[in-house]
Amino acid sequence: MKRPTPRNAFYAQSGGVSAVINASACGVIETARKHRGKIGKLYAGRHGIVGALTEDLIDTGKESAATIRALRHTPGGAFGSARYKLAGIDKNRAQYERLIEVFRAHDIGYFFYNGGNDSMDTAHKVSQIGAQMGYPIVCIGVPKTVDNDLAVTDCCPGFGSAAKYIAVATREAALDVLSMARTSTKVFVLEVMGRHAGWLAAAGGLAGDRKSDAPHVILFPEITFDRGAFLERVKACVESYGYCVVVVSEGVRNADGKFLAEAGTKDAFGHAQLGGVGPVVAQMTQEAFGYKFHWAVADYLQRSARHIASKVDVEQAYAVGKAAVEFALKGKNAVMPTIVRKSSSPYRWTIGEAPLSAIANEEKKVPRNFITPDGFGITPACRRYLEPLIGGEDYPPYARGLPRYATIKGASVAKRLSTPFVV
């Protein structure tokens, strides 16, 4: 009996990248290379799903084993990512048909999509359109988001390292402010990511062990902002400790449901563009009490800080990439590998799975029992959940005082379609 010809695979990175998304890419590519009898070539989309639509593919087979291995400790998106959300199949079927057209042209039978909520929705829809068009395509979601808001999975690769950065930055900045508070800055505000879920803001709470330790105030998207209560808390902290450190999520809203820092514009996914909540709340304290303040926005720093990555996060990121390929080869479709917590102390975890339909467009927010009754801090239950995720160090190699990161060749795959696609 003639052995079936191996089918090719396609991998893409989506949305905002993280310090460990390339570790997932490493897991996908290294595992695929171990199964050359079943997976032929593995292509990557240049700039994510845009690369698939425009038939701009990278041949990962041209990359050395050393380069792929080095992706495990390299931040950013090695193949390029994109904020490009596909519409529903009923609204823009042509986009999905184009994907299938490209997959058919390059004999792609496996689709690995590395991203968050919107990406899991896309992978789910691609599996549906493939079935409708009679084209066999196995779609596996590979979880990634610093927001930690994917449903079902205990945590999301990318979050642990960003959380570690926020906790460390909060502790270090607090020591700086404390040393100068008597004659200088009284209030320091650190703005972190988190449009609807305050997981990263909660991570700031790990910086302090005692009541007097920073952060003294955490502002969550899950808790409606109360200006009066906030100012009262800040004043009490300054009077008691000499200073006040605030960690605020970008997605904090007022009683009307409006973002405190909404800029009035939209991003590529149609979400409200936020203009910076840090200076807004910092200015409130000066207007109310005349306190000197400073504020900082962690922004891209929190998600790109591979030099201080959580070892647990790196291991989990690699594991979900590896599992994605193994799931596909077992015939599973429209699923995502998940992290399943077995215990918190000692921390033990394993890989599980969930259907994409249960994850797509769902958001996991910080539970109310993880937030203190006054709405300004984290509870012991939250600390027990968070602490294992920032555990361990996994330093990249250094040369001349700086981390050494991988750069791919990015060899292009020859186009086979004559029809261009404009995104």
Side-chain angles (χ1 to χ4, degrees), residues 76-100:
F79 303 100
S81 186
R83 290 195 182 280
Y84 187 85
K85 183 177 181 180
L86 275 67
I89 295 176
D90 57 330
K91 294 181 180 179
N92 198 334
R93 185 182 179 89
Q95 289 179 320
Y96 296 91
E97 291 179 344
R98 171 65 177 192
L99 287 178
I100 299 302

Side-chain angles (χ1 to χ4, degrees), residues 271-286:
H271 305 311
Q273 192 78 44
L274 305 186
V277 70
V280 172
V281 298
Q283 187 68 42
M284 287 181 190
T285 67
Q286 186 181 63

Side-chain angles (χ1 to χ4, degrees), residues 187-189 216-219 224-237 244-248 260 277-278 280-286 288-289 374 376:
V187 175
F188 174 71
V189 178
H216 307 103
V217 179
I218 302 175
L219 300 177
T224 299
F225 180 72
D226 183 326
R227 181 188 177 100
F230 165 68
L231 291 174
E232 183 179 334
R233 178 60 175 264
V234 170
K235 183 179 181 182
C237 289
C244 181
V245 172
V246 179
V247 176
V248 56
L260 260 63
V277 70
V280 172
V281 298
Q283 187 68 42
M284 287 181 190
T285 67
Q286 186 181 63
F289 310 117
D374 62 12
F376 292 134

Side-chain angles (χ1 to χ4, degrees), residues 56-343:
D56 190 0
L57 310 181
I58 295 171
D59 186 353
T60 68
K62 302 295 184 182
E63 309 294 340
S64 69
T67 296
I68 298 304
R69 186 165 55 250
L71 289 181
R72 185 172 174 133
H73 64 252
T74 300
F79 303 100
S81 186
R83 290 195 182 280
Y84 187 85
K85 183 177 181 180
L86 275 67
I89 295 176
D90 57 330
K91 294 181 180 179
N92 198 334
R93 185 182 179 89
Q95 289 179 320
Y96 296 91
E97 291 179 344
R98 171 65 177 192
L99 287 178
I100 299 302
E101 183 182 24
V102 172
F103 291 166
R104 192 189 302 276
H106 294 273
D107 192 30
I108 292 170
Y110 305 97
F111 175 37
F112 302 109
Y113 205 23
N114 203 170
N117 297 310
D118 291 330
S119 304
M120 297 306 108
D121 180 55
T122 295
H124 183 228
K125 288 173 179 173
V126 171
S127 70
Q128 293 176 320
I129 196 69
Q132 291 176 21
M133 296 178 65
Y135 182 78
I137 181 75
V138 173
C139 299
I140 308 292
V142 185
K144 173 280 313 174
T145 175
V146 298
D147 292 326
N148 198 41
D149 61 352
L150 286 175
V152 184
T153 186
D154 177 72
C155 61
C156 303
F159 169 70
S161 295
K164 190 181 185 85
Y165 177 90
I166 294 301
V168 170
T170 301
R171 175 171 287 186
E172 293 180 341
L175 291 173
D176 185 297
V177 177
L178 174 61
S179 67
M180 297 291 292
R182 183 171 181 175
T183 59
S184 185
T185 302
K186 293 288 192 291
V187 175
F188 174 71
V189 178
L190 178 63
E191 177 185 327
V192 304
M193 290 178 172
R195 182 178 300 273
H196 301 296
W199 293 105
L200 280 174
L206 295 176
D209 298 316
R210 301 164 300 179
K211 184 178 180 181
S212 59
D213 290 342
H216 307 103
V217 179
I218 302 175
L219 300 177
F220 300 87
E222 290 85 356
I223 303 295
T224 299
F225 180 72
D226 183 326
R227 181 188 177 100
F230 165 68
L231 291 174
E232 183 179 334
R233 178 60 175 264
V234 170
K235 183 179 181 182
C237 289
V238 171
E239 291 178 350
S240 298
Y241 315 126
Y243 75 119
C244 181
V245 172
V246 179
V247 176
V248 56
S249 173
E250 63 179 344
V252 170
R253 298 170 183 258
N254 59 27
D256 296 329
K258 185 177 180 180
F259 291 114
L260 260 63
E262 190 165 330
T265 55
K266 303 289 183 181
D267 67 12
F269 285 139
H271 305 311
Q273 192 78 44
L274 305 186
V277 70
V280 172
V281 298
Q283 187 68 42
M284 287 181 190
T285 67
Q286 186 181 63
E287 292 172 353
F289 310 117
Y291 294 149
K292 181 176 180 180
F293 66 81
H294 276 271
W295 56 270
V297 183
D299 201 49
Y300 282 13
L301 300 178
Q302 66 203 296
R303 76 184 196 198
S304 63
R306 181 57 183 81
H307 68 286
I308 198 173
S310 153
K311 184 177 181 181
V312 166
D313 194 28
V314 175
E315 291 173 346
Q316 291 180 340
Y318 184 91
V320 295
K322 178 176 181 286
V325 176
E326 293 173 341
F327 284 1
L329 294 179
K330 290 178 181 178
K332 297 179 180 181
N333 194 8
V335 299
M336 184 192 85
T338 61
I339 306 297
V340 178
R341 184 179 300 225
K342 307 293 286 186
S343 68

